Amino acid sequence: MVLLHTLLAKVGPKDKKIGVKARINGVLNISLNLVKHNLQNHRLVLPCLQVLRVYSTNSVNAVSLGKNGVVELMFKIIGPFSKRNTSLMKVALDTLAALLKSKTNARRAVDRGYVQALITIYVDWHRHDSRHRYMLIRKGVLQCIKSVTNIKLGRKAFIDANGMKILYNTSQECLAVRTLDPLVNTSSLIMRKCFPKNRLPLPTIKSAFHFQLPVIPASGPVAQLYNLPPDVDDVVDESDDNDDAETESEIETEIDDDKDQHFKNDDIETDINKLKPRQELGRSIEELKMYEQFFPELSENFQEWDLVSKEPKPFVPDANLSGPIVVPTASEEHSAEAKPSTKGIALKECSPLLTEEYNRRPVFLELPKKDNMKSSSLHQQNDQRNMLPSCQCLSQEIVKGLDRISLQNSAKNDQYYGTGCVVEKESKAGITTLASSKPFEHVSPCGGSLFEGSSVQLGKLCCTGVDSEEEEDSRSSSSGEHATLQISDVSPVHDCDLYLEMVKNTKSIPEYSEVAYPDYFGHIPPPFKEPILERRYGVQRTKICQDIERLIYQNDIIDRVVYDLDNSSFSVPEEADVLKFNSKFESGNLRKVIQIRKNEYDLILNSDINSNHYHQWFYFEVSGMKTGIGYRFNIINCEKSNSQFNYGMQPLMYSVQEALRCRPCWTRVGTDICYYKNHFSRSSIAAGGQKGKSYYTITFTVTFQHKEDVCYFAYHYPYTYSTLKMHLRKLESMHNPQQIYFRHDVLCKTLAGNSCPLVTITAMPESNYYEHIYQFRNRPYIFLSARVHPGETNASWVMKGTLEYLMSNSPNAQSLRESYIFKIIPMLNPDGVINGNHRCSLSGEDLNRQWQNPNPDLHPTIYHAKGLLQYLAAIKRLPLVYCDYHGHSRKKNVFMYGCSIKETMWHTSVNAASCDLMEDPAYRALPKILSHTAPAFCMGSCSFVVEKSKESTARVVVWREIGVQRSYTMESTLCGCDQGKYKGLQIGTRELEEMGAKFCVGLLRLKRMSSPLEYNLPSNLLDIENELIESSCKVTSPTTYVLDEDEPRFLEEVDYSAESNDEDVELADNAGDYEATNQDDGLSDRDSTRIHLS
């Protein structure tokens, strides 16, 4: 029998069906009985236990053996501490751990008090194994505890036995020895899993702000939200577990062993009839005529304009390199926005095409005689320009004056802080200065007070202005890399005063009247590189231990609310050692802050309005800090299962003190950054009906450089709706009307009454002769949109780069304008952006899932954006390219999603080669061009697969219903790049704007490749370009199917879910804290490695 069981122990692990075979042949109990009757015969018991360990990996076998007393038998073997027969004990512990994965056996162990016994055994081995020779036995005991605590009764027994404190103390003693990391990791997992689920400290998970919808959807999450009884607690369920209510299934589950062999992604569309594009206008021609007024370029004859056929003189601004940069201010401009009409859309009465309205050329502003600004082209040679010394900054008097800037309708200040320096100029209202000898007495502790009417108040500036003790250091380092900025970096489209004017007309649900200083001062990309942060070993484990200490040492926890939107009577703490928080400004979304320890704060984000989830974007203000202290911030109600914060991304910080030193820029900051599942429970109402879900924590530590500074933190570079309005106004006032045809219309009004801008850009015709007018009217359209998701601010920065390139004076930009007519909607979701939403509009819905059937009352921007495209389809002027700019939170680089029938079929059981499919591969041309011209773009991350879950997105609907073959979503990373020129660097606004410009360059190359005769290019260049496209367009091999998350597991990926029964992963000594993360939304990493094509 010894030889037989020894043979079975070696063969068994290689046969997945051996457990089934043993049960069918009735031999399970033979090995069990041999152990029962020969406990003292270790030579026989050892191979028998090895066979039982193999049998127990099958859940049905584990239940059957448990009924026959195998659990009790294992505890007899592992019994009191003894260093004799350690090999036998190791096998017994492994067998017991496998058996306890069965909920029935786990409950049996809890009922017999074995949880306390396991803890005692572990403590004994921990105390006696001083030389760490028996780590595998200690690990085996922990694995048994881990298995039994997968059920709620096991977790309760573990806590009652003081297991939290015991494991915490033992793991802290193991930290000094690196080889004991597997013990520390498993202990951390057990403690975190047994940490009692807490209620999120909120009265409701619904947004703190309410907006009454004009129409309530009949179904969906918004309808459920409105139909929820008022007395229902939507923060947490009555029970955080549902596993104990389930009975052990006796159904044989061996078929699950083979399920991984035939992995299939059910989200890929397999119906070829649904994949084939079918042009469906969905609206009558008569109804679509309402959009004629947005296309006056199709009927404009320019007869009233004095156009000459010769090439116009280049529009070069007079650059004064020695002085500050001056830009036109609001007093010199006026808006060219169209006046909106009723029903939420800015439309006029339908009129014939040849009416005066359509014959009239759009009104342009006269050019200023002198304009000291840089060209908006991204490729100007300004490297040799003089540097601005940082010491030429605001005096303390001016700082105090800035503290009380408020914008009244009658007062206009014409000062521009493009570089943080003061520029005073004479305006119609006379000369206005900010200097004052009296401090402003009415500034609230964490922001300016609200003003009556349409006035706007800036947030609180630093009380001390510029630190006097640091002035000398700042002056001495003014020539250093970090202390100076080139004039060429200053954006010509930022105007502080104009921004305040724009804010006055921005309508928010909370009726904000404060302005965040980063939005007021503007942002200049820092002159230094910001590498992807290298993760410090053990950082997540340390954070977990600190969280566990909250339960073990509760008396050390302050637990004090220091900011609360839900409490209207809440007052900001006045203590000097407590940070002050604020987010009552455009795009801010902080809801509540709780001080946990002296320098540690838990932050809770506000839900999207008319929603009870979507927490990821953050933007808030902090003040009252001290230098030399590490402050830890924990954002505790995030929802995504993973984040680039685990792969080197850092949050962004903007220091007002630095801005006053001529360094107004967002910079990547923070140490000890990680993103992990926490102990705050998500209710089934917020989790789409799923129980047992938890929130996730973003944690980071910041040490401030300046005392009493005012700093702002953000998920990504903020770009507000008011910023967009300011940029469009500046572009309109700065362009050369002899070269550029520019229109700024209002497509429609949003639910809150904000305007959705529509921009048209092309080149003016060479003359008003028929041939030139004909060429002007018949240029192909390019349709671009962005910012449908408010939290994806990088999309707006890419769009800014596109707009500025299109409005620049470079020959390539002029050639591009002469080739295309650009229709651009730079912000599809203004309301979401204004109110700090992460994903939704005020309707509480993801607007990028409404393109199939948009509701004009709930989704006006989508309804009318689709209407514009439907109108172009009706008049046979389909856009050559449609692209929607987005941001991606869990992937690096910039990439595109497109649409292809053939490439989608590659991922199904249908062989694309055998299908009678004829598909023009030109959809791959633009992404391939960008992969060769844009440093941040990665062709390998692109996908052209059409998924069922994306059938209502802009990309798929424009491709399928409108008929645009080149319909794309362009995704830009929030983190950085892992290839190309920017490999290893976090992405910044300079790189994002460059991507927007490179997109335009790609369109120009696309034009040259499609019409080579129009351009006098070297033949070899055309051959290279054509070969580049043709070689990539042959679909002869599977394409890469891009998952929502394609990062490899990071070293400290930890799963704290109570339901985890995954097989244990043996860790190398240097592998870090490695456990499998539960994939809440998307495929697991293990599944992702199995994606293949048949």
Side-chain angles (χ1 to χ4, degrees):
M1 295 301 290
V2 173
L3 293 176
L4 177 61
H5 279 80
T6 301
L7 181 62
L8 284 173
K10 293 181 178 179
V11 175
K14 300 180 181 180
D15 184 0
K16 292 184 177 181
K17 298 291 185 182
I18 192 170
V20 180
K21 297 172 183 176
R23 186 174 69 254
I24 292 176
N25 291 284
V27 298
L28 286 179
N29 291 329
I30 294 178
S31 301
L32 178 59
N33 291 329
L34 282 173
V35 176
K36 284 182 178 180
H37 297 99
N38 297 275
L39 282 177
Q40 303 305 318
N41 186 353
H42 297 157
R43 183 170 173 269
L44 174 61
V45 170
L46 181 60
C48 290
L49 286 177
Q50 291 172 335
V51 173
L52 287 175
R53 179 176 59 183
V54 175
Y55 291 164
S56 300
T57 57
N58 181 280
S59 60
V60 179
N61 288 352
V63 174
S64 177
L65 290 170
K67 291 179 179 178
N68 291 317
V70 69
V71 175
E72 294 82 353
L73 181 63
M74 292 300 105
F75 274 95
K76 288 182 180 179
I77 297 175
I78 65 175
F81 168 79
S82 173
K83 291 186 178 180
R84 298 165 61 182
N85 302 315
T86 54
S87 59
L88 181 66
M89 175 167 284
K90 175 64 175 68
V91 176
L93 286 169
D94 290 344
T95 306
L96 181 60
L99 290 166
L100 292 178
K101 288 183 178 180
S102 162
K103 293 176 183 177
T104 301
N105 292 338
R107 282 192 285 269
R108 184 177 286 110
V110 173
D111 293 341
R112 286 162 175 74
Y114 290 151
V115 175
Q116 176 71 65
L118 286 171
I119 294 174
T120 302
I121 292 171
Y122 180 73
V123 171
D124 288 341
W125 278 99
H126 176 77
R127 290 174 178 172
H128 292 90
D129 185 24
S130 58
R131 297 188 177 182
H132 313 304
R133 295 179 178 178
Y134 303 102
M135 191 184 73
L136 292 179
I137 292 180
R138 294 158 68 179
K139 177 86 179 288
V141 179
L142 289 176
Q143 294 296 340
C144 294
I145 298 174
K146 176 187 171 186
S147 296
V148 78
T149 52
N150 280 333
I151 65 171
K152 187 177 181 180
L153 287 175
R155 295 192 290 275
K156 184 178 184 302
F158 177 81
I159 293 175
D160 292 343
N162 201 25
M164 293 288 286
K165 191 168 186 178
I166 292 172
L167 279 196
Y168 174 81
N169 292 332
T170 56
S171 63
Q172 292 298 302
E173 294 171 6
C174 294
L175 287 176
V177 184
R178 189 71 173 266
T179 57
L180 298 182
D181 275 357
L183 302 182
V184 179
N185 299 336
T186 308
S187 297
S188 299
L189 176 68
I190 295 169
M191 289 186 288
R192 198 59 174 176
K193 185 166 56 175
C194 295
F195 201 118
K197 289 291 184 68
N198 287 358
R199 171 195 176 95
L200 202 64
L202 292 176
T204 175
I205 55 174
K206 291 183 290 188
S207 173
F209 307 119
H210 176 70
F211 176 79
Q212 183 63 42
L213 295 176
V215 178
I216 307 300
S219 60
V222 179
Q224 296 174 5
L225 195 69
Y226 271 80
N227 295 328
L228 196 66
D231 56 341
V232 171
D233 185 0
D234 61 352
V235 179
V236 69
D237 298 320
E238 293 182 1
S239 173
D240 62 10
D241 296 287
N242 56 358
D243 53 356
D244 292 339
E246 301 173 359
T247 58
E248 192 70 41
S249 173
E250 299 292 342
I251 301 175
E252 295 186 7
T253 59
E254 284 74 29
I255 57 174
D256 293 341
D257 296 333
D258 298 328
K259 67 181 180 180
D260 295 341
Q261 303 300 320
H262 303 286
F263 175 78
K264 179 181 178 181
N265 185 358
D266 294 331
D267 191 32
I268 297 179
E269 183 58 74
T270 58
D271 189 342
I272 195 170
N273 293 321
K274 292 183 179 179
L275 283 173
K276 289 182 178 179
R278 56 191 189 282
Q279 194 175 85
E280 297 177 355
L281 295 182
R283 297 163 71 177
S284 67
I285 300 297
E286 291 299 320
E287 185 180 357
L288 291 174
K289 283 185 178 179
M290 65 193 302
Y291 297 105
E292 282 181 347
Q293 67 172 307
F294 294 110
F295 298 91
E297 64 274 7
L298 296 180
S299 59
E300 180 66 78
N301 56 28
F302 297 96
Q303 295 303 312
E304 299 178 3
W305 299 93
D306 185 17
L307 299 176
V308 292
S309 59
K310 65 179 181 180
E311 183 179 353
K313 294 180 180 180
F315 175 59
V316 180
D318 183 14
N320 182 6
L321 302 184
S322 61
I325 294 177
V326 182
V327 299
T329 59
S331 62
E332 299 174 85
E333 304 165 21
H334 64 273
S335 174
E337 293 185 355
K339 297 296 183 181
S341 62
T342 58
K343 294 188 178 180
I345 178 165
L347 298 174
K348 299 182 180 180
E349 295 290 336
C350 291
S351 57
L353 287 176
L354 298 179
T355 59
E356 181 180 355
E357 172 66 24
Y358 290 96
N359 288 327
R360 181 176 60 84
R361 184 184 183 281
V363 177
F364 294 105
L365 299 177
E366 292 297 330
L367 290 176
K369 295 181 180 179
K370 186 174 181 180
D371 196 352
N372 296 331
M373 69 189 88
K374 80 171 184 72
S375 171
S376 56
S377 170
L378 297 181
H379 304 287
Q380 298 297 313
Q381 298 178 351
N382 293 316
D383 294 339
Q384 304 301 321
R385 291 191 174 187
N386 296 333
M387 310 293 281
L388 281 176
S390 61
C391 59
Q392 303 299 322
C393 296
L394 301 176
S395 64
Q396 289 195 9
E397 290 76 11
I398 295 177
V399 171
K400 293 177 181 178
L402 277 174
D403 222 359
R404 64 177 188 284
I405 293 180
S406 65
L407 198 69
Q408 306 294 340
N409 290 330
S410 59
K412 292 179 182 282
N413 297 325
D414 290 315
Q415 294 168 328
Y416 172 59
Y417 299 91
T419 61
C421 300
V422 179
V423 180
E424 295 184 1
K425 62 178 289 185
E426 209 167 346
S427 69
K428 295 179 181 179
I431 299 178
T432 304
T433 61
L434 294 176
S436 174
S437 59
K438 296 182 180 180
F440 184 52
E441 300 176 353
H442 302 290
V443 176
S444 63
C446 202
S449 58
L450 301 182
F451 276 65
E452 297 292 336
S454 58
S455 61
V456 179
Q457 173 68 28
L458 279 172
K460 186 193 71 165
L461 260 174
C462 323
C463 298
T464 59
V466 179
D467 295 340
S468 58
E469 64 270 19
E470 297 180 4
E471 286 181 353
E472 184 176 350
D473 294 338
S474 175
R475 187 177 298 109
S476 62
S477 63
S478 61
S479 60
E481 183 183 28
H482 292 263
T484 58
L485 291 170
Q486 295 183 2
I487 297 179
S488 60
D489 285 333
V490 180
S491 173
V493 292
H494 189 85
D495 185 327
C496 304
D497 296 319
L498 180 57
Y499 182 82
L500 295 182
E501 288 291 334
M502 297 298 100
V503 169
K504 288 202 306 182
N505 298 319
T506 297
K507 301 176 182 177
S508 63
I509 302 308
E511 298 183 351
Y512 293 140
S513 60
E514 295 181 22
V515 176
Y517 271 96
D519 304 324
Y520 173 77
F521 278 120
H523 161 73
I524 298 174
F528 48 87
K529 296 179 180 179
E530 296 181 296
I532 291 175
L533 184 68
E534 184 176 350
R535 190 183 183 91
R536 183 174 63 83
Y537 177 80
V539 59
Q540 180 162 306
R541 185 173 62 192
T542 302
K543 299 300 181 182
I544 293 167
C545 290
Q546 292 174 358
D547 287 353
I548 292 170
E549 290 172 359
R550 299 189 188 191
L551 181 66
I552 299 175
Y553 306 110
Q554 297 185 18
N555 293 334
D556 296 338
I557 303 302
I558 299 175
D559 197 27
R560 177 190 181 187
V561 177
V562 296
Y563 181 78
D564 192 357
L565 276 187
D566 294 292
N567 184 358
S568 58
S569 61
F570 181 80
S571 58
V572 179
E574 298 296 334
E575 289 84 347
D577 59 345
V578 178
L579 293 181
K580 281 76 175 176
F581 293 83
N582 181 37
S583 69
K584 297 177 181 178
F585 45 78
E586 188 174 348
S587 294
N589 72 334
L590 189 61
R591 181 170 186 171
K592 191 172 187 177
V593 181
I594 302 171
Q595 185 181 16
I596 300 300
R597 299 180 178 94
K598 183 178 180 180
N599 300 315
E600 181 180 354
Y601 297 84
D602 279 358
L603 285 68
I604 302 176
L605 306 179
N606 196 22
S607 301
D608 286 5
I609 294 176
N610 275 318
S611 173
N612 54 20
H613 57 134
Y614 296 118
H615 314 97
Q616 208 78 17
W617 162 259
F618 58 85
Y619 185 18
F620 58 89
E621 172 194 300
V622 178
S623 60
M625 67 285 292
K626 297 180 180 179
T627 58
I629 297 175
Y631 292 91
R632 177 181 172 184
F633 301 95
N634 311 308
I635 300 175
I636 63 174
N637 64 330
C638 299
E639 295 173 344
K640 290 191 175 183
S641 61
N642 208 345
S643 168
Q644 284 292 321
F645 283 115
N646 279 332
Y647 303 99
M649 185 170 86
Q650 295 174 280
L652 285 148
M653 188 184 81
Y654 191 103
S655 165
V656 174
Q657 286 275 12
E658 287 294 301
L660 297 178
R661 288 174 166 79
C662 310
R663 296 186 287 270
C665 58
W666 286 96
T667 55
R668 303 276 186 171
V669 298
T671 58
D672 295 349
I673 301 171
C674 55
Y675 185 95
Y676 58 91
K677 185 179 289 188
N678 60 35
H679 57 276
F680 290 102
S681 177
R682 287 180 68 189
S683 68
S684 58
I685 297 175
Q690 296 178 312
K691 290 188 176 181
K693 297 295 181 182
S694 298
Y695 287 104
Y696 289 77
T697 291
I698 300 172
T699 181
F700 56 92
T701 301
V702 175
T703 302
F704 297 98
Q705 297 181 358
H706 308 288
K707 66 180 181 180
E708 298 299 329
D709 197 357
V710 177
C711 294
Y712 294 79
F713 291 94
Y715 182 59
H716 198 66
Y717 300 92
Y719 191 101
T720 65
Y721 172 68
S722 298
T723 300
L724 172 66
K725 292 195 297 181
M726 175 192 66
H727 283 170
L728 292 180
R729 180 79 71 85
K730 296 303 296 182
L731 288 174
E732 182 175 4
S733 67
M734 292 158 50
H735 83 282
N736 184 352
Q738 290 184 341
Q739 283 186 312
I740 304 174
Y741 179 97
F742 178 93
R743 279 184 62 89
H744 176 195
D745 296 305
V746 176
L747 174 63
C748 63
K749 288 292 187 180
T750 65
L751 293 179
N754 293 292
S755 300
C756 179
L758 171 66
V759 176
T760 305
I761 301 174
T762 189
M764 292 290 287
E766 292 186 32
S767 73
N768 52 18
Y769 292 121
Y770 173 79
E771 293 81 0
H772 292 152
I773 299 299
Y774 178 84
Q775 190 276 340
F776 173 86
R777 293 179 179 176
N778 286 276
R779 295 168 185 166
Y781 276 95
I782 302 292
F783 203 109
L784 306 177
S785 60
R787 205 67 185 279
V788 70
H789 294 145
E792 297 169 5
T793 58
N794 45 358
S796 283
W797 288 100
V798 176
M799 179 59 75
K800 178 176 182 285
T802 295
L803 288 170
E804 292 188 6
Y805 185 87
L806 290 176
M807 298 293 288
S808 69
N809 304 303
S810 70
N812 282 339
Q814 178 63 17
S815 178
L816 187 63
R817 291 191 294 267
E818 292 172 353
S819 302
Y820 301 112
I821 300 175
F822 288 85
K823 286 290 181 183
I824 302 174
I825 306 177
M827 191 171 286
L828 279 167
N829 191 354
D831 289 345
V833 172
I834 294 167
N835 294 286
N837 286 4
H838 174 67
R839 189 83 175 176
C840 301
S841 69
L842 292 185
S843 68
E845 298 167 299
D846 182 348
L847 290 183
N848 203 35
R849 297 297 185 275
Q850 311 302 323
W851 278 80
Q852 271 189 325
N853 297 294
N855 186 308
D857 296 317
L858 294 176
H859 326 116
T861 60
I862 304 302
Y863 180 83
H864 295 301
K866 186 177 181 181
L868 293 176
L869 289 160
Q870 289 171 324
Y871 175 77
L872 287 174
I875 63 174
K876 310 302 180 184
R877 294 293 302 271
L878 277 179
L880 178 68
V881 171
Y882 170 77
C883 189
D884 192 20
Y885 293 2
H886 282 254
H888 206 287
S889 65
R890 294 192 289 184
K891 286 172 63 66
K892 289 183 172 67
N893 309 311
V894 181
F895 52 94
M896 275 181 163
Y897 293 135
C899 301
S900 166
I901 302 176
K902 216 162 193 177
E903 298 201 30
T904 302
M905 300 308 292
W906 272 109
H907 295 274
T908 67
S909 58
V910 181
N911 190 343
S914 63
C915 293
D916 186 18
L917 292 176
M918 296 298 294
E919 185 176 41
D920 185 355
Y923 62 87
R924 273 181 161 260
L926 183 57
K928 192 65 178 177
I929 291 172
L930 292 176
S931 70
H932 284 256
T933 59
F937 195 89
C938 178
M939 187 67 187
S941 295
C942 295
S943 172
F944 305 93
V945 174
V946 179
E947 301 131 308
K948 296 176 184 177
S949 61
K950 305 296 177 63
E951 64 182 4
S952 294
T953 61
R955 164 178 61 99
V956 177
V957 170
V958 172
W959 170 73
R960 180 180 294 167
E961 296 184 19
I962 308 299
V964 179
Q965 183 192 23
R966 294 183 176 92
S967 179
Y968 306 104
T969 296
M970 187 164 72
E971 302 273 358
S972 300
T973 179
L974 292 165
C975 178
C977 299
D978 58 11
Q979 54 87 46
K981 174 182 176 182
Y982 301 128
K983 182 178 181 180
L985 298 178
Q986 296 186 76
I987 203 161
T989 57
R990 182 184 286 108
E991 293 75 31
L992 292 170
E993 292 183 46
E994 178 192 61
M995 186 64 236
K998 292 293 186 182
F999 181 84
C1000 297
V1001 175
L1003 291 174
L1004 184 59
R1005 181 167 292 188
L1006 183 68
K1007 174 69 174 178
R1008 290 174 176 173
M1009 296 172 66
S1010 59
S1011 305
L1013 297 180
E1014 296 182 14
Y1015 297 89
N1016 186 18
L1017 294 177
S1019 58
N1020 60 338
L1021 177 60
L1022 291 176
D1023 292 339
I1024 293 173
E1025 291 180 339
N1026 289 328
E1027 181 183 355
L1028 178 148
I1029 299 302
E1030 290 172 1
S1031 63
S1032 66
C1033 294
K1034 299 174 183 178
V1035 186
T1036 57
S1037 62
T1039 56
T1040 302
Y1041 175 65
V1042 182
L1043 298 174
D1044 284 343
E1045 176 181 4
D1046 70 341
E1047 291 282 4
R1049 286 174 168 177
F1050 62 96
L1051 294 182
E1052 297 185 280
E1053 200 169 358
V1054 179
D1055 178 12
Y1056 301 115
S1057 62
E1059 305 84 8
S1060 174
N1061 277 332
D1062 295 339
E1063 64 275 8
D1064 300 317
V1065 181
E1066 292 294 335
L1067 301 177
D1069 291 345
N1070 60 349
D1073 306 335
Y1074 182 91
E1075 293 289 345
T1077 291
N1078 196 32
Q1079 303 293 327
D1080 286 350
D1081 48 350
L1083 303 173
S1084 67
D1085 291 297
R1086 184 176 57 190
D1087 291 335
S1088 66
T1089 62
R1090 295 194 297 267
I1091 292 186
H1092 64 279
L1093 296 174
S1094 57

